[in-house]
Amino acid sequence: MSLRSEAVIDRRRLKRRLSTWRVIAIIAGAIALMAVMASSGLVGGLGNRDQIARITISGIIQEDRTQLKMLRRLADAEHVKAVLVYVNSGGGTTTGGEALYEALREVSAKKPVVAQFGTVAASAAYIVGLSTDHIVARGNTITGSVGVIWQWAEFGQLLDKLGVKFNEIKSGPLKANPSPFQPINPEGRRVAEEMVADSQAWFLKLVKTRRKLDTASVPGLEEGRVYTGRTALRFKLIDQIGGQAEALAYLREKRDVPASAKLVDWKPRRPGGLGLAARMGAYTRAFLQGLLGENALPMGGLNSIVGAPSGLSDKRLDALKSVWQR
């Protein structure tokens, strides 16, 4: 066989291989696009469109515009038949709990919402539970801690020892009072106590209204006590002992959510990534690795695009807090 003939055969083989990879790429792209659109609520899955959306509330609770926007989409998504809120948090800012409460109440006006408490669901995290129609918790879940706290450090004596003097000019005696740079005076303490008491009254009213109970009759509730799930059930702070299976059973048996509705995780669309393109890339990579093997494609910088954690600045709590501290 001549060298010319061998070259022709090699080119034909190469073309066949390229055609095969093109077909694989087209199929992977189509699957990725459908998966992204389904998870975004743009279209249903490849079969039944009905979903039970599962959202996760964890870590420090703060007002999160991206998360609130997702909840508005959930409320309006017709293919989402119910929402399961998994809560595993010691709380956070009181305003963060309030924002989530109001957003979830709007969702609940349109479809059933159930809460599943994890290891801990206290303070602002318990406020999240109050927004739902039914609360399921483990027997050993830590919950309750109905209360508000305002804390600040006082550095005045430390600065004196270091020879540092802090100067300020302010418009009135209640401006920046309390302050970490000087001892609190009676007037500043009175204002701080009034703010905490006002927020506490709001929190207790939520409990009275949503749980339909007299908070004064529950031992330690108005003093900020925490409870196990079993004790919380006895005092009607939750509705049921269990986990995800019990939460789903409530939706399907008590709220007539179709048994065919699939549980689908919804997550906020965080800024800073490549949005749809990055998510399509993630789905495509998963498809190709499943087809070709786990090590067929290097991960490269994809992890820095998809699911990157938020900055440390998100952890600050310069506000009235509803948080269980241990």
Side-chain angles (χ1 to χ4, degrees), residues 227-247:
Y227 307 87
T228 65
R230 288 179 292 272
T231 305
L233 178 64
R234 187 165 75 247
F235 292 131
K236 301 182 180 179
L237 297 174
I238 67 169
D239 298 293
Q240 187 179 2
I241 297 295
Q244 179 175 291
E246 287 73 17

Side-chain angles (χ1 to χ4, degrees), residues 58-132:
S58 61
I60 296 174
I61 294 175
Q62 298 187 81
E63 188 164 358
D64 184 333
R65 288 179 295 178
T66 307
Q67 188 178 59
L68 298 177
K69 185 176 180 180
M70 179 195 70
L71 292 176
R72 287 193 292 272
R73 292 202 315 270
L74 266 179
D76 295 333
E78 294 184 359
H79 65 291
V80 175
K81 302 303 179 184
V83 178
L84 189 158
V85 184
Y86 176 72
V87 184
N88 191 26
S89 167
T93 66
T94 309
T95 52
E98 179 183 8
L100 271 175
Y101 174 87
E102 292 176 351
L104 285 168
R105 290 307 299 149
E106 291 179 6
V107 176
S108 182
K110 297 182 178 181
K111 57 198 67 179
V113 181
V114 62
Q116 177 199 346
F117 286 175
T119 302
V120 57
S123 295
Y126 184 65
I127 293 175
V128 174
L130 291 174
S131 68
T132 68

